[in-house]
Amino acid sequence: QVQLVESGGGLVQPGGSLRLSCAASGSIFRIYAMYWYRQAPGKQRVLVAAMSDGVSTNYADSVKGRFTISGDNAKNTVYLQMNSLKPEDTAVYYCNAAISSPSSGPRDYWGQGTQVTVSS
């Protein structure tokens, strides 16, 4: 089994910064891609940032220039550095990953989510 555990959420003032972490553990053979999604109250879950094969990155237009996704392959961890935060960034942030184990092909895994609140 594979687990994803997020950390780093919290309350921050507009213009502030937070760094989220997502650590994958368990029976991991290969991590194909890792993603950050967010879900605001009453809205659908949307993709915020993606990292493929530890190199290629993509961002939602709403966060380009403010958020940066990065990874530490040795720790099986992906980070989301969030700068210049706005109230509209308030949401539960979820980590998602496509991971294969020694006994199976790629499967989709989700973390439990971490709350980010941007408010003065």
Side-chain angles (χ1 to χ4, degrees):
Q1 275 288 8
V2 174
Q3 298 82 36
L4 299 180
V5 177
E6 299 119 333
S7 61
L11 173 64
V12 63
Q13 292 186 342
S17 299
L18 281 175
R19 189 175 83 151
L20 305 183
S21 300
C22 172
S25 64
S27 184
I28 298 170
F29 178 69
R30 179 181 173 185
I31 298 177
Y32 292 83
M34 297 188 82
Y35 309 89
W36 286 100
Y37 285 77
R38 68 186 182 189
Q39 186 167 19
K43 295 187 177 181
Q44 290 187 331
R45 191 173 298 186
V46 296
L47 180 64
V48 174
M51 172 172 276
S52 300
D53 291 324
V55 178
S56 178
T57 60
N58 283 289
Y59 298 92
D61 288 343
S62 59
V63 306
K64 282 181 181 177
R66 301 188 298 122
F67 290 11
T68 302
I69 188 170
S70 62
D72 185 333
N73 292 335
K75 295 181 179 180
N76 291 330
T77 298
V78 68
Y79 305 96
L80 185 67
Q81 178 66 44
M82 305 186 294
N83 299 328
S84 302
L85 282 162
K86 305 174 181 180
E88 51 264 43
D89 294 318
T90 296
V92 178
Y93 284 71
Y94 295 92
C95 178
N96 171 251
I99 298 173
S100 64
S101 70
S103 60
S104 69
R107 291 182 59 187
D108 198 41
Y109 295 92
W110 288 90
Q112 80 286 358
T114 185
Q115 176 70 46
V116 171
T117 302
V118 184
S119 175
S120 55

